[in-house]
Amino acid sequence: MPDMPDTPIQDMPALIATLRDIVGDRGLLTDPADTASYTEDWRRLYQGRTPAVVRPANTAEVAAVIQACVRSGVAVVPQGGNTSMVGGATPSNNGTEIVVSLARMNRIRAIDPIDLTVTLEAGVTLKAAQTSALEAGCLLPLSISSEGTAQIGGVLATNAGGNNTVRYGNARDLVLGLEVVLPDGQIWSGLRRLRKDNTGYCLRQLFVGAEGTLGIITAAVLKLAPRPRQIEVALCAVPSAEAALQLYTGFSRHDPSAVQSFEYMSGTGMDFVLRHIPGTHLPTTPAPHYVLIELASPREAADLRASFEALLMPALEDGTVTDVVLAESDAQRAAIWRLREEHAEGQKREGASVKNDVSVPVSKVPELLARARIAAEALMPGIRMVPFGHMGDGNIHLNFEQPIDMEATAFLARDHDIMDMVGDIVMDLEGSFSAEHGVGRLKPYMMPTWRGGAELDAMRKIKAALDPRGLMNPGKVLP
Ligand code: 2HG
Ligand code: ZN
């Protein structure tokens, strides 16, 4: 990096003028009316402040922006679609952090159906990336509820998981190459497309999941899969979480390569969706628990319906499943998926909630749910448990909704009690306190308990080596 004096100039107007020179008028927002949507997170947990939102148009501009901010000793907060569940992309309240939005960098640079790769910029929405892959005869096997808004840069920076982890892994498992602007303003051009490249530290994996604390991801090369020729979706009503697990075991033993999603929903969460989301209908008889199973295959001859029948007929007979609906059309498939994907929104509209994005070994999911239900009721009578999520990979959103007769503020004041109650059970089951949403601004205080000792020490040393002045997304991830 060129000449960069270590002089913390807190001359914000001069910095903003420099930023305007770099990105032009189109790339800079300073009016609070224009910056407001960048300073609040989706859950409305945080209302930050910023003197400016910078919207660079290319990687060179991102690098120049970072260099200018570092010269002024001013921190930056990278932001994609701003769909974080843990406040990972909102600036603090001190009003001195510059938000760097990648939204204008939204080009898909290349898709190669032979190499099965897509090279794309950070501001491409996940949905747009999926659509382009499908048009090229491929599948981008990453699907999350916020995919219409979430952008690739944020998806990678937070190592998003979602609905296909059971089959294809998390975002991290799809990354072959990255382009990153480092905290000193250098550009690391690592957009390699290689399946084998065994050359020292795997740098790209350092930035995936770092939540923008080590640099800004500006572009990536992701692995694609062949486009499925067949997809079948079933919604099953089940009597218990144990029955859901039994079903999972059956499907994963029968043909693990076909199970593209195995999603769990509770009757309570389903009721919220049906009540609050217009146009949703339950196609099965009501039940205390549901699972959504998606089977997919690139093989023409795969008979996924036969797989469903082979497993679900006996399950219906022995009561493991009480009712089942197989989607008969693309529209029905979308309608069933909507019941699952609107869970976060349904819960938001019902009232205040405390989220616990936890994971445990898949075999422990029923025990997790049973213990949490008892502990929660003891902690706060009337609290409503709304668990849902990616049962096939052990990631349950073990969320709680305020008791019907309790004030939202009184309920939210107990958020740490609820999170600690869940945390104790999850720790006992050898799980994680954040399975896919990351740490952000909400959970750094948990890091010493869960990742303390040598692990957190190594993380701090990496942070200090790459970002010695702590200017990249401060207050996120590390306590
Ligand atoms: C999902 O799986 C998202 O729908 C949101 O990860 C989870 O709202 C949540 O807790
Ligand atoms: Zn999820």
Side-chain angles (χ1 to χ4, degrees):
M1 132 123 249
D3 160 43
M4 190 181 284
D6 189 25
T7 42
I9 312 161
Q10 284 297 342
D11 184 355
M12 198 54 86
L15 172 62
I16 289 176
T18 305
L19 296 176
R20 194 182 296 280
D21 286 344
I22 297 166
V23 296
D25 285 338
R26 263 190 75 203
L28 192 80
L29 309 173
T30 51
D31 186 332
D34 297 330
T35 60
S37 64
Y38 296 83
T39 55
E40 187 176 56
D41 64 311
W42 182 83
R43 292 177 63 187
R44 304 206 183 100
L45 293 179
Y46 301 104
Q47 284 79 33
R49 292 191 304 124
T50 186
V53 175
V54 190
R55 304 173 81 243
N58 54 51
T59 307
E61 285 186 9
V62 177
V65 164
I66 297 305
Q67 288 166 18
C69 289
V70 173
R71 265 199 297 272
S72 301
V74 169
V76 299
V77 179
Q79 193 175 102
N82 198 14
T83 58
S84 175
M85 291 286 180
V86 288
T90 41
S92 74
N93 304 39
N94 68 22
T96 64
E97 297 168 6
I98 302 284
V99 175
V100 179
S101 161
L102 281 298
R104 282 175 73 208
M105 292 186 58
N106 59 2
R107 275 188 324 129
I108 296 191
R109 294 189 191 163
I111 294 193
D112 192 318
I114 295 176
D115 291 338
L116 285 170
T117 56
V118 57
T119 307
L120 71 187
E121 294 179 350
V124 177
T125 64
L126 179 53
K127 184 87 207 160
Q130 291 165 347
T131 306
S132 298
L134 284 178
E135 284 164 6
C138 305
L139 173 77
L140 174 56
L142 185 71
S143 167
I144 59 178
S145 299
S146 58
E147 63 201 17
T149 312
Q151 296 169 12
I152 292 297
V155 161
L156 295 179
T158 59
N159 184 29
N163 308 332
N164 299 152
T165 301
V166 61
R167 169 81 179 80
Y168 296 99
N170 299 305
R172 151 173 337 282
D173 299 296
L174 302 177
V175 182
L176 291 177
L178 280 189
E179 179 186 85
V180 179
V181 174
L182 301 175
D184 64 2
Q186 288 189 81
I187 299 170
W188 171 46
S189 302
L191 288 177
R192 292 189 278 265
R193 298 192 287 149
L194 305 173
R195 306 280 165 159
K196 281 189 168 172
D197 172 27
N198 208 356
T199 51
Y201 301 148
C202 186
L203 271 194
R204 66 182 187 280
Q205 293 297 358
L206 206 51
F207 299 100
V208 179
E211 303 185 30
T213 60
L214 299 178
I216 300 189
I217 296 172
T218 50
V221 181
L222 302 181
K223 280 186 217 170
L224 301 174
R227 181 183 179 150
R229 289 200 172 81
Q230 289 187 48
I231 303 180
E232 298 286 349
V233 167
L235 181 68
C236 306
V238 295
S240 63
E242 286 77 9
L245 178 64
Q246 211 176 312
L247 217 49
Y248 168 74
T249 317
F251 275 92
S252 55
R253 284 192 186 143
H254 183 77
D255 182 1
S257 70
V259 181
Q260 187 154 277
S261 302
F262 193 98
E263 298 283 311
Y264 167 84
M265 290 161 277
S266 70
T268 313
M270 188 67 94
D271 286 348
F272 291 170
V273 171
L274 298 170
R275 187 149 12 110
H276 298 298
I277 310 294
T280 53
H281 303 281
L282 183 65
T284 63
T285 48
H289 311 264
Y290 301 88
V291 291
L292 184 165
I293 307 167
E294 181 167 281
L295 302 183
S297 174
R299 285 186 297 124
E300 201 87 71
D303 193 345
L304 302 176
R305 288 225 143 204
S307 298
F308 265 136
E309 275 157 26
L311 287 145
L312 293 178
M313 294 308 278
L316 276 166
E317 270 161 35
D318 69 18
T320 310
V321 169
T322 52
D323 194 10
V324 60
V325 166
L326 281 184
E328 296 294 342
S329 64
D330 288 352
Q332 270 182 27
R333 199 168 79 208
I336 290 177
W337 263 113
R338 193 152 176 247
L339 293 172
R340 163 63 187 85
E341 291 187 326
E342 293 286 9
H343 260 63
E345 188 62 38
Q347 209 190 337
K348 193 176 182 183
R349 293 191 193 177
E350 174 71 14
S353 57
V354 172
K355 290 182 188 287
N356 297 280
D357 166 40
V358 300
S359 58
V360 293
V362 185
S363 59
K364 300 287 184 195
V365 169
E367 184 180 343
L368 168 72
L369 298 182
R371 286 174 62 177
R373 188 175 296 282
I374 294 168
E377 186 57 31
L379 183 73
M380 187 186 286
I383 193 170
R384 291 172 292 167
M385 185 164 108
V386 195
F388 62 94
H390 320 290
M391 182 165 182
D393 61 50
N395 172 198
I396 296 293
H397 301 300
L398 192 34
N399 300 346
F400 290 90
E401 198 79 11
Q402 63 187 93
I404 288 171
D405 50 6
M406 191 173 196
E407 281 296 319
T409 41
F411 173 68
L412 290 174
R414 305 277 311 272
D415 60 347
H416 281 208
D417 295 344
I418 297 169
M419 285 153 78
D420 290 350
M421 173 273 293
V422 172
D424 288 347
I425 300 169
V426 170
M427 193 172 269
D428 196 43
L429 296 175
E430 299 177 336
S432 171
F433 71 103
S434 188
E436 62 169 3
H437 294 167
V439 181
R441 213 170 140 179
L442 184 64
K443 299 183 175 175
Y445 80 95
M446 295 181 167
M447 289 291 274
T449 308
W450 290 80
R451 298 289 174 259
E455 194 169 359
L456 189 53
D457 187 46
M459 288 192 209
R460 286 192 203 277
K461 284 175 179 153
I462 292 168
K463 171 76 174 170
L466 286 178
D467 181 20
R469 295 167 70 191
L471 297 178
M472 296 301 305
N473 214 7
K476 316 291 165 45
V477 182
L478 298 177

